[in-house]
Amino acid sequence: MNILVVGSIALDSVETPWGSANDSPGGSALYFSSAASFFAPVNVVGVVGTDFDFKAVDFLRQRSVNFDGIDQQEGLTFRWGGRYHMDLNQRDTLFTDLNVFENFNPKIPEFYRNSDLVFLANIDPDLQMQVLRQIPRPKLVILDTMNFWITGKRKSLDEVIGQTDVLILNDEEARMLTDTGNLITAGRRILERGPKFLIIKKGEHGAVLLHDNSYFSAPAYPLEKVVDPTGAGDSFAGGFVGYIAHTGKIDEPTMRRAIIYGSTVASFNVEDFSFRRLVSLNRKEMEARVDDFSRITVY
Ligand code: AMP
């Protein structure tokens, strides 16, 4: 199965207690692709400025990531800056310069339109709907969003959620979306709105999967040193969707294993700035960590 991702492409400037990196490639679409491309071909739709250096992401082309859907426009690439605290769950956004991303108008190239799995990264829900209107119904639509859209564009977001098969949220977003404190109740209510599967990420406490009446809980990998948490969510989604594409199966047991692969790739991603660690990562290291996951929960 092949994958379509629509999302941001950025030059990120990040400071953490372990160091900093300036203008390194980032954005949801590139983090997602760096992870998903371990498993399956990825078609990217996004926008960059004339300052974007494609050489920095050449490793992705070698892993069957197609950039033909990236629109290069006159102007500067989207730039985002963030500073993490000692508690890496705390992050201050230092700046968000939308630049060419401000007028992002996703156009899906003809030969991308039959992609099997579609990941709608965290962008304006109106744009997410615009993507879905351009393509025939894919085998699976996976959606990410954030609190900004939950409070600011609720009606549009509800419309996309109604078209979604797998919704990925964090715990705070799940509560916000349902005005509910209890996560299980929140999850059940969300499943009534359209998605067949719901993943709730709980940061260093792992992730849960809700589907019909079943419930699956996965731990997070116990990393002692997190260097840069940026893109953890998108690399999780990349590993998750990539694994499903690789197996070609869309069922609950596959989703459970896909969550372990997503968590594994995300745990490598945060070991270095930008997606540097995903450039050097190989399948053997990945599989060894996947095996560690089962040891963590044996009792
Ligand atoms: P995350 O760590 O999952 O929040 O994702 C971080 C990535 O999101 C960074 O690489 C940023 O470039 C990108 N990003 C930050 N703000 C936005 C935004 N408003 N829209 C789209 N992408 C963004």
Side-chain angles (χ1 to χ4, degrees):
M1 287 182 173
N2 60 4
I3 303 168
L4 167 67
V5 54
V6 184
S8 61
I9 298 176
L11 293 174
D12 289 339
S13 294
V14 174
E15 296 169 30
T16 82
W18 312 107
S20 60
N22 275 327
D23 275 352
S24 0
S28 54
L30 292 186
Y31 274 109
F32 176 89
S33 303
S34 305
S37 57
F38 278 101
F39 306 93
V42 183
N43 299 321
V44 184
V45 170
V47 60
V48 294
T50 41
D51 56 345
F52 189 80
D53 180 7
F54 279 92
K55 278 203 253 36
V57 289
D58 208 39
F59 75 99
L60 288 174
R61 284 194 220 264
Q62 286 158 24
R63 287 196 203 152
S64 302
V65 176
N66 190 322
F67 289 154
D68 292 350
I70 298 181
D71 184 15
Q72 189 159 29
Q73 287 186 6
E74 275 304 319
L76 295 174
T77 301
F78 169 52
R79 276 176 172 71
W80 174 80
R83 182 189 294 132
Y84 291 86
H85 297 219
M86 207 57 190
D87 169 0
L88 293 165
N89 296 310
Q90 303 286 333
R91 167 170 97 184
D92 302 324
T93 292
L94 300 177
F95 58 88
T96 303
D97 297 337
L98 292 173
N99 300 325
V100 294
F101 191 50
E102 186 159 11
N103 299 315
F104 182 39
N105 178 21
K107 295 236 166 44
I108 314 302
E110 189 62 42
F111 59 97
Y112 279 16
R113 292 192 184 163
N114 287 318
S115 301
D116 303 296
L117 309 180
V118 174
F119 178 64
L120 300 171
N122 170 24
I123 53 172
D124 184 332
D126 286 331
L127 296 184
Q128 293 174 323
M129 265 322 287
Q130 188 178 318
V131 170
L132 293 182
R133 284 194 203 103
Q134 291 176 59
I135 54 178
R137 175 81 206 159
K139 293 200 169 75
L140 205 66
V141 174
I142 305 100
L143 180 76
D144 187 16
T145 190
M146 68 184 295
N147 46 15
F148 184 71
W149 306 119
I150 295 174
T151 47
K153 281 242 176 153
R154 191 50 183 272
K155 202 158 162 278
S156 305
L157 180 62
D158 283 343
E159 195 188 350
V160 202
I161 290 176
Q163 301 292 316
T164 295
D165 301 296
V166 185
L167 177 58
I168 305 181
L169 297 172
N170 66 31
D171 40 7
E172 183 200 337
E173 292 156 357
R175 291 192 176 99
M176 198 184 267
L177 198 57
T178 50
D179 283 324
T180 314
N182 183 291
L183 265 193
I184 310 302
T185 310
R188 297 286 166 224
R189 288 192 187 158
I190 292 168
L191 287 179
E192 285 164 10
R193 299 182 191 175
K196 294 179 212 54
F197 298 89
L198 170 67
I199 295 172
I200 304 179
K201 297 175 291 180
K202 300 193 291 174
E204 61 196 311
H205 304 296
V208 299
L209 171 71
L210 288 100
H211 166 66
D212 290 339
N213 289 317
S214 77
Y215 177 88
F216 169 68
S217 173
Y221 189 77
L223 271 188
E224 283 204 39
K225 190 170 177 187
V226 173
V227 172
D228 174 14
T230 311
D234 298 307
S235 54
F236 169 88
F240 172 80
V241 178
Y243 181 77
I244 294 171
H246 168 74
T247 61
K249 286 197 230 152
I250 297 173
D251 54 27
E252 212 243 354
T254 307
M255 300 253 176
R256 289 183 177 219
R257 283 192 293 277
I259 286 179
I260 300 299
Y261 275 86
S263 305
T264 299
V265 183
S267 73
F268 280 108
N269 178 59
V270 300
E271 286 181 355
D272 204 345
F273 285 95
S274 185
F275 29 70
R276 281 180 213 160
R277 185 63 183 96
L278 299 188
V279 180
S280 64
L281 178 65
N282 62 51
R283 278 304 285 266
K284 207 166 152 225
E285 292 172 299
M286 194 192 298
E287 293 302 334
R289 200 169 278 189
V290 165
D291 288 345
D292 284 344
F293 263 95
S294 38
R295 278 190 280 279
I296 292 172
T297 48
V298 169
Y299 63 94

